[in-house]
Amino acid sequence: ILSRCQRFDFKRITSDDIVKRLKKIIVQDGIKVEEQGLRLIGRISDGSMRDALSILDQCISFGKDIISYEDIASILGVVDDSILFDVTQSIIEQDANKAIELIDRLIMDGGDIVQFLEGFIEHFRNILLCKVLKSPEVVLDVPQETILKYKNQSINYTQEKIIYCIKILTETFAAIKWSSMPRILLEVALIKLCSRDLDMSTEALLSRIADLEHKLSTGMVNMEMSTDQKNVLPAKNPM
């Protein structure tokens, strides 16, 4: 009977509030944790203080004097942001060789392909928000310097291209879950993103058209005809 019950609506705890609580705990216990690491815990816990405290307990059990961001990322299996930015840059440069080398290094270092793809999809989502929103820091729970990196990479992408990348990566993520050869699927996806001429889908064609329009509007395409093209044209009648 609703009229005889008390109703409590619970909301997710903000990442900032989680970080503040974690700071209070580590100060009381005399434990040192890097600020970036605490923010990672706050982001991964997704509004759950219980999950955040559980992760912190796991980190403390290592018994280190200072718990670094790398320690926490290793415990959580989170891919380092640096490789996400590096692979994205290789796509910008259309350098498939570099992208495959980075993935090989990730796997040789014990990285998980599924974790990488999850982080990579979120990475492009963040780039898209930095491309679209005037104040992405209101939505993105990351340091200001990281937002600046997203903005710098978003300059090299049109919205269509970012959406196309997210589409390819999410399709690959879904396929990898049921595949016995996840590395091959990831490599094929990266080669496709670095060489979009291989993809004749509607999304890929729209992305190329958007890229061309962007280059034309910014003067990146030389509109002058080559000598051979000029020779083909008929001579003008003298006035």
Side-chain angles (χ1 to χ4, degrees):
I1 304 173
L2 187 60
S3 63
R4 296 293 182 266
C5 297
Q6 289 185 339
R7 174 170 172 166
F8 299 92
D9 293 324
F10 294 96
K11 297 180 180 179
R12 293 180 184 273
I13 305 172
T14 66
S15 180
D16 286 340
D17 288 339
I18 290 176
V19 171
K20 288 178 183 177
R21 181 60 181 170
L22 295 180
K23 283 182 178 179
K24 186 176 181 179
I25 292 172
I26 62 176
V27 169
Q28 290 176 345
D29 294 346
I31 302 166
K32 294 182 179 180
V33 183
E34 288 184 355
E35 173 80 16
Q36 189 180 4
L38 290 176
R39 292 203 166 275
L40 176 60
I41 294 176
R43 178 159 53 90
I44 294 298
S45 58
D46 195 24
S48 170
M49 184 63 75
R50 182 184 64 180
D51 290 349
L53 294 174
S54 177
I55 295 171
L56 182 62
D57 284 340
Q58 293 180 51
C59 298
I60 294 173
S61 66
F62 273 70
K64 288 190 173 183
D65 295 333
I66 300 177
I67 301 173
S68 66
Y69 169 85
E70 288 75 17
D71 295 330
I72 298 173
S74 176
I75 292 171
L76 297 174
V78 176
V79 177
D80 191 357
D81 284 348
S82 62
I83 191 169
L84 299 176
F85 280 103
D86 289 343
V87 176
T88 304
Q89 188 62 34
S90 69
I91 294 174
I92 293 171
E93 297 169 358
Q94 296 186 346
D95 189 348
N97 183 70
K98 179 182 177 183
I100 298 302
E101 287 181 351
L102 288 168
I103 294 303
D104 180 67
R105 189 188 311 165
L106 170 73
I107 295 173
M108 295 303 292
D109 290 341
D112 183 76
I113 291 177
V114 174
Q115 289 279 358
F116 168 78
L117 264 175
E118 286 181 342
F120 205 32
I121 293 169
E122 184 179 1
H123 182 82
F124 271 100
R125 171 254 187 185
N126 294 344
I127 292 176
L128 180 61
L129 293 183
C130 286
K131 185 79 173 178
V132 175
L133 302 181
K134 292 182 178 179
S135 302
E137 57 274 4
V138 176
V139 179
L140 299 179
D141 186 21
V142 295
Q144 187 62 37
E145 56 268 23
T146 304
I147 289 180
L148 290 176
K149 289 182 179 179
Y150 288 136
K151 287 183 177 179
N152 288 335
Q153 287 199 325
S154 71
I155 295 172
N156 300 283
Y157 285 99
T158 60
Q159 293 182 32
E160 290 81 3
K161 183 174 180 180
I162 299 172
I163 293 171
Y164 169 73
C165 290
I166 292 175
K167 176 179 180 295
I168 294 298
L169 292 174
T170 51
E171 289 176 351
T172 304
F173 181 77
I176 276 179
K177 286 187 174 181
W178 309 103
S179 174
S180 59
M181 298 178 290
R183 176 171 181 168
I184 295 177
L185 294 180
L186 175 57
E187 289 171 342
V188 169
L190 290 176
I191 292 172
K192 185 182 291 186
L193 292 179
C194 291
S195 309
R196 287 179 301 144
D197 292 342
L198 298 176
D199 192 340
M200 299 304 294
S201 65
T202 303
E203 292 81 0
L205 294 174
L206 290 174
S207 177
R208 287 180 224 166
I209 292 171
D211 279 346
L212 181 57
E213 290 176 342
H214 175 69
K215 290 177 180 178
L216 288 171
S217 64
T218 56
M220 296 173 62
V221 175
N222 187 356
M223 297 300 294
E224 291 185 2
M225 292 182 294
S226 66
T227 303
D228 291 339
Q229 288 175 313
K230 291 179 179 178
N231 289 336
V232 172
L233 295 176
K236 292 183 179 180
N237 294 325
M239 296 296 293

